[in-house]
Amino acid sequence: MRWKALKYALPLLLFFAALIALQTNGWLVFLPVIISFVFLPLLELIFPPDSSNMDAAEEAIAKADSLYDVLLYAVVPLQYFTLFIFLKGIDNPTLLWWEQLGRIASMGLMCGTFGINVGHELGHRSKPYEQWLAKALLLTSLYTHFFIEHNKGHHKHVSTPRDPSSAPYRMSVYRFWIRSIAGVYSGAWKIANAEQHKNNTPTFHLSNEMLQLQLLSVIFLLMIGVLFSGSVLLYFLAAATLGILLLETVNYIEHYGLARKESTPGKYERAMPWHSWNSNHVVGRILLFELSRHSDHHYLASRKYQLLRHHDDAPQLPTGYPGSMLLALVPPVWFVVMDKQMQRYQIDVTA
């Protein structure tokens, strides 16, 4: 079954596309963006979703196969090498403004697709070195605090009013960006500060995980500014921002309009598969290391990406993640399409 793991090497080809984009001129500066948001959505319209699951024996083999993990670990050096190439070449005076924009967009795509997404997967692991790899990847988008809030906040409060990363019905993605980015940052501080209080340790102490991560980000930014230039630092901030917006757009489509019922005041039913939008579109699943099987991820967050399962009672997005993200950017179209999906799955928006 090892050949099945190799399909997850295909996303790594996006690094080669990025390296082309970051070292060339003309339309090729947009190559990763074209692949991800033109070519892949078209493929997902052609290839039907695959709802099949592994049987118990296949799961046992896949769980024991270290190649699935090695492919994730390989993302870390590839991400940092790509970032170095970006920083080294973005301030080239021969580049036209739109070529610089293309390079920033391509790097931003890498920040979101690999920096945050793979960082998210590794952040759910229990081994300390995997968690540090997760933080290293999140650092390339300056979103290390996601490690705290996502694991200890989002998974606890998903699809409730307490979760800033769960989009209420009829909220546009643009309003959601502001709500989620601000809420995730403040939520991470609250969680880290509460842990300090629990351990009888001062809030502003180096043992505060949030403070550690913020200092790490500041040092990283200073290094970029010193080793390259102030203008390169600004270009990096633009790319990191795009990576964050990509993540938050994914958050938006994953839980839009879904709500857990309040069982008693202040307490909600357990997060179930029907509290996340799912997508079985094969291309998006492979590109994002099965992130689009999000219903099972919230049902059992410790399950590794290659083991995530389809649930018959999980509502399905109208297309894969890339196509759904594009739809979300046009709110009137998104609302019409998703209203039909919610009616199809008899989802009560007043829950």
Side-chain angles (χ1 to χ4, degrees):
M1 270 187 55
R2 175 149 281 211
W3 65 270
K4 290 189 175 182
L6 290 176
K7 67 184 178 183
Y8 296 107
L10 291 175
L12 303 185
L13 294 176
L14 202 58
F15 280 110
F16 292 100
L19 292 175
I20 292 172
L22 300 177
Q23 299 179 90
T24 192
N25 299 77
W27 69 270
L28 284 173
V29 296
F30 289 98
L31 184 59
V33 179
I34 293 171
I35 291 173
S36 299
F37 291 108
V38 178
F39 184 60
L40 294 185
L42 289 175
L43 283 181
E44 291 191 323
L45 292 176
I46 298 172
F47 294 103
D50 180 8
S51 61
S52 62
N53 292 322
M54 296 181 185
D55 59 32
E58 290 172 328
E59 277 199 17
I61 294 171
K63 187 176 182 179
D65 192 343
S66 61
L67 181 57
Y68 289 99
D69 295 333
V70 170
L71 290 171
L72 295 182
Y73 304 157
V75 168
V76 182
L78 287 171
Q79 176 74 355
Y80 272 89
F81 179 71
T82 304
L83 179 59
F84 172 76
I85 296 299
F86 168 77
L87 297 173
K88 185 180 177 181
I90 187 60
D91 208 19
N92 188 329
T94 66
L95 290 173
L96 300 174
W97 69 267
W98 62 268
E99 292 173 326
Q100 283 185 317
L101 180 62
R103 290 191 181 189
I104 291 170
S106 293
M107 189 65 236
L109 179 67
M110 306 309 287
C111 288
T113 304
F114 294 102
I116 300 181
N117 181 46
V118 177
H120 158 260
E121 172 67 24
L122 290 172
H124 279 288
R125 305 294 178 85
S126 58
K127 295 176 182 176
Y129 72 86
E130 289 181 312
Q131 294 187 0
W132 275 108
L133 289 176
K135 294 174 184 177
L137 285 173
L138 291 169
L139 182 62
T140 63
S141 287
L142 301 177
Y143 224 51
T144 51
H145 55 279
F146 173 86
F147 177 87
I148 298 173
E149 203 283 332
H150 179 83
N151 291 345
K152 300 175 183 178
H154 175 63
H155 272 265
K156 181 179 180 180
H157 301 301
V158 64
S159 295
T160 73
R162 296 181 181 179
D163 180 34
S165 296
S166 296
Y169 178 66
R170 285 282 165 169
M171 174 178 282
S172 75
V173 70
Y174 303 106
R175 286 177 57 201
F176 176 78
W177 284 348
I178 298 171
R179 161 195 161 110
S180 187
I181 291 171
V184 168
Y185 187 77
S186 62
W189 272 113
K190 290 176 183 177
I191 292 168
N193 292 346
E195 290 182 345
Q196 291 295 102
H197 180 73
K198 182 179 179 181
N199 296 328
N200 294 317
T201 308
T203 299
F204 290 100
H205 189 273
L206 281 179
S207 60
N208 186 316
E209 187 176 20
M210 184 62 174
L211 185 58
Q212 292 174 8
L213 295 176
Q214 296 310 290
L215 289 173
L216 181 63
S217 296
V218 170
I219 293 170
F220 189 60
L221 289 172
L222 287 174
M223 287 177 59
I224 292 175
V226 171
L227 295 176
F228 296 93
S229 69
S231 57
V232 170
L233 177 60
L234 292 176
Y235 292 134
F236 166 69
L237 289 173
T241 300
L242 285 177
I244 292 169
L245 294 180
L246 280 174
L247 162 74
E248 296 301 352
T249 305
V250 168
N251 274 335
Y252 177 79
I253 66 173
E254 285 174 339
H255 303 288
Y256 170 78
L258 302 179
R260 286 156 60 189
K261 293 180 180 178
E262 193 172 19
S263 52
T264 58
K267 293 186 178 181
Y268 296 84
E269 62 179 324
R270 180 190 172 185
M272 299 297 288
W274 52 85
H275 295 127
S276 305
W277 288 99
N278 207 59
S279 171
N280 285 313
H281 291 79
V282 179
V283 179
R285 284 173 51 192
I286 294 174
L287 175 67
L288 295 172
F289 295 94
E290 298 293 349
L291 177 69
S292 62
R293 280 198 160 179
H294 206 63
S295 298
D296 197 35
H297 171 67
H298 270 281
Y299 186 61
L300 190 60
S302 62
R303 194 189 294 273
K304 291 186 175 182
Y305 74 95
Q306 70 268 25
L307 306 177
L308 291 174
R309 303 177 64 82
H310 162 78
H311 292 264
D312 289 334
D313 48 7
Q316 302 295 313
L317 287 168
T319 185
Y321 269 32
S324 294
M325 292 168 71
L326 291 174
L327 283 175
L329 296 178
V330 188
V333 177
W334 170 259
F335 293 149
V336 170
V337 172
M338 292 307 292
D339 279 352
K340 292 180 180 179
Q341 290 297 104
M342 298 181 91
Q343 291 172 10
R344 175 183 177 185
Y345 291 100
Q346 299 180 331
I347 294 170
D348 182 7
V349 298
T350 64

